[in-house]
C-alpha cells in the first residue's frame, strides 16, 4: 500500500496525472464488505464498553443506558473519522485493499474525515447509492469532501 501510495503521489507531483484519473475506483461490493467489517469492529468496541459500564455502574439505569447510546454513536464516528481521514484506510478498507484519498492523492485528514463521516451518518448511509451511477464511484459524502475511495493492489 505504501509503495502504491507513494507512486501515485509522485505522479501527481510531477504533473503526470491528477488523483481522480490515476486510480481504479473501488468496487461497490468491496466498499460494502469493508463497511460491514468496520461496523462489526465498532459493535465489538461498543460491547466491550457496555460490559465495562455494567461493572462500573451496576449495569442498569438511565446513566448507563445514556453512556451506551452515546458510545454507539461516538465510537463509529471517531473510528471512521480517524482511520479514513488520517490513515487513509480503516481496518475494513485495509482488508479489502481500499483507501480514501483527496484530489492530491493523499489521505483526506482528520477534519475532512470527520466531515465525511458526519455526512455519512446524517444521510444514514443512503448517499452511498450515488456511487452506483458515478464513473468515479463517489458516494454523496465523497463528493462533498472531494474524496475518492480507490482500489489499492
Amino acid at each position: 500500500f505504501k509503495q502504491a501510495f507513494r507512486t501515485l503521489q509522485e505522479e501527481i507531483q510531477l504533473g503526470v496525472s491528477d488523483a481522480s484519473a490515476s486510480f481504479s475506483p473501488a468496487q461497490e461490493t468491496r466498499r460494502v464488505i469493508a463497511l460491514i467489517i468496520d461496523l462489526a469492529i465498532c459493535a465489538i468496541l461498543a460491547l466491550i464498553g457496555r460490559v465495562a459500564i455494567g461493572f462500573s455502574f451496576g449495569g442498569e439505569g438511565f446513566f448507563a443506558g445514556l453512556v451506551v447510546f452515546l458510545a454507539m454513536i461516538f465510537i463509529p464516528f471517531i473510528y471512521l473519522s480517524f482511520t479514513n481521514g488520517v490513515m487513509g484506510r480503516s481496518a475494513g478498507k485495509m482488508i479489502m485493499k481500499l483507501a480514501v484519498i483527496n484530489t492530491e492523492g493523499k489521505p483526506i485528514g482528520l477534519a475532512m474525515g470527520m466531515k465525511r463521516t458526519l455526512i455519512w451518518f446524517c444521510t444514514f448511509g443512503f448517499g452511498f447509492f450515488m456511487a452506483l451511477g458515478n464513473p468515479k464511484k463517489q458516494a454523496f459524502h465523497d463528493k462533498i469532501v472531494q474524496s475518492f475511495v480507490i482500489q489499492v493492489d
Side-chain angles (χ1 to χ4, degrees):
F1 171 72
K2 288 181 182 179
Q3 183 57 38
F5 212 65
R6 276 193 207 109
T7 302
L8 177 61
Q9 286 178 328
E10 288 169 7
E11 287 179 2
I12 292 165
Q13 289 171 352
L14 294 173
V16 173
S17 62
D18 66 19
S20 64
S22 300
F23 62 81
S24 298
Q27 297 172 346
E28 294 89 348
T29 52
R30 285 180 165 272
R31 287 183 72 166
V32 169
I33 294 168
L35 177 63
I36 291 169
I37 292 168
D38 290 331
L39 292 179
I41 290 169
C42 291
I44 290 167
L45 292 173
L47 179 63
I48 291 169
R50 174 64 178 117
V51 170
I53 290 168
F55 286 126
S56 300
F57 297 102
E60 300 300 326
F62 176 76
F63 183 72
L66 179 63
V67 170
V68 169
F69 174 74
L70 292 175
M72 290 172 46
I73 294 171
F74 286 114
I75 288 174
F77 180 79
I78 292 166
Y79 168 77
L80 293 171
S81 296
F82 180 79
T83 57
N84 288 324
V86 175
M87 297 170 49
R89 57 199 328 202
S90 61
K93 285 184 178 68
M94 193 176 306
I95 291 167
M96 298 308 297
K97 297 185 187 299
L98 306 176
V100 180
I101 61 169
N102 62 16
T103 56
E104 298 172 353
K106 299 176 183 176
I108 61 176
L110 184 58
M112 285 295 133
M114 292 174 80
K115 185 175 180 181
R116 183 179 185 269
T117 304
L118 182 62
I119 293 166
W120 183 79
F121 276 20
C122 290
T123 61
F124 301 103
F126 287 114
F128 173 76
F129 290 109
M130 283 184 70
L132 298 176
N134 182 323
K136 294 180 182 177
K137 307 291 186 200
Q138 286 180 291
F140 181 70
H141 50 278
D142 292 316
K143 283 187 170 283
I144 297 297
V145 300
Q146 298 179 346
S147 65
F148 305 92
V149 179
I150 61 168
Q151 184 68 43
V152 180
D153 293 317

